[in-house]
Amino acid sequence: MKIRPVVRQIHADNAPTYRDLQAHIDKLFKPVCSERRWHYESRVKQLDSFALKVESGRGWDSTPAAMEDFFACTVVVRNSTEVADAVGAVLAECEEQSRRPQSPGHAGRASSFDFDDLRMFVKLRPSEGLRPNEAYNRIFEVQIRTFLFHAWQIATHDLTYKTDQVSWGRARIAYQV
């Protein structure tokens, strides 16, 4: 993918701020997840993924630097009964700005495993002793999913969501499994 210089520069200018945010959030969330036997992972969006999102116009309102998932993390809980606990753990440290889907636990078709994990868009909650830093004013994404859906996402993500080779056959098999 050819990436315009201006998009490269926006990514280069903002990635360090989001890496600072990632380091702080990792310190907050990893112990909580470990204690509860949940899985935790995080990432700062890579240049190619950032550029693709900018070029498609998805995920940001006013400026690409404010893309809601420039930094994102995932909390994986054992089953759906623990989702509310994970939401509480996130809200203990962060202020919710929005979420998708709006109503958790909505049921889709029984034959469908479309992506519908809970995605919370949050900012770090101000706290005493925390040095002011522009990273802490950035919105970021927290996905909360069960181990079953996490495994499903790992198995099918590259086949059906972000792939360089679109294959009807592979997508059909992924959806049928």
Side-chain angles (χ1 to χ4, degrees):
M1 173 181 187
K2 186 173 181 173
I3 300 172
R4 293 183 296 146
V6 66
V7 173
R8 284 183 186 280
Q9 192 61 53
I10 292 168
H11 185 272
D13 290 346
N14 287 277
T17 299
Y18 283 102
R19 281 194 280 280
D20 287 347
L21 178 60
Q22 179 184 27
H24 186 74
I25 295 301
D26 287 356
K27 285 180 189 172
L28 292 174
F29 286 8
K30 278 183 180 180
V32 170
C33 290
S34 178
E35 175 183 300
R36 295 175 183 184
R37 300 188 62 208
W38 296 341
H39 174 72
Y40 172 82
E41 57 189 49
S42 67
R43 61 100 182 117
V44 172
K45 194 172 273 299
Q46 297 293 316
L47 175 60
D48 57 343
S49 181
F50 176 79
L52 183 63
K53 201 159 194 178
V54 168
E55 296 297 340
S56 67
R58 296 177 298 122
W60 48 280
D61 293 328
S62 57
T63 174
M67 187 178 291
E68 62 192 6
D69 70 340
F70 203 125
F71 165 67
C73 61
T74 302
V75 175
V76 184
V77 298
R78 288 180 289 232
N79 57 56
S80 60
T81 64
E82 295 182 331
V83 170
D85 291 340
V87 168
V90 170
L91 294 178
E93 302 294 343
C94 302
E95 296 176 352
E96 185 174 347
Q97 307 298 302
S98 65
R99 73 169 59 187
R100 282 179 274 197
Q102 291 297 319
S103 56
H106 75 287
R109 294 187 339 233
S111 61
S112 174
F113 280 87
D114 291 338
F115 177 77
D116 65 351
D117 296 329
L118 176 60
R119 287 156 293 149
M120 299 174 66
F121 301 93
V122 299
K123 285 184 181 179
L124 190 60
R125 188 176 300 284
S127 66
E128 290 183 37
L130 189 62
R131 270 192 359 235
N133 179 322
E134 75 174 279
Y136 303 146
N137 289 320
R138 302 284 177 107
I139 294 175
F140 62 96
E141 178 180 8
V142 179
Q143 290 185 12
I144 300 175
R145 63 172 66 125
T146 65
F147 275 110
L148 174 63
F149 278 100
H150 187 63
W152 183 255
Q153 186 271 339
I154 290 168
T156 63
H157 185 266
D158 290 344
L159 293 175
T160 59
Y161 180 59
K162 291 184 180 175
T163 181
D164 293 333
Q165 298 176 336
V166 176
S167 166
W168 179 88
R170 282 191 298 195
R172 178 76 173 169
I173 289 169
Y175 287 118
Q176 286 181 333
V177 170

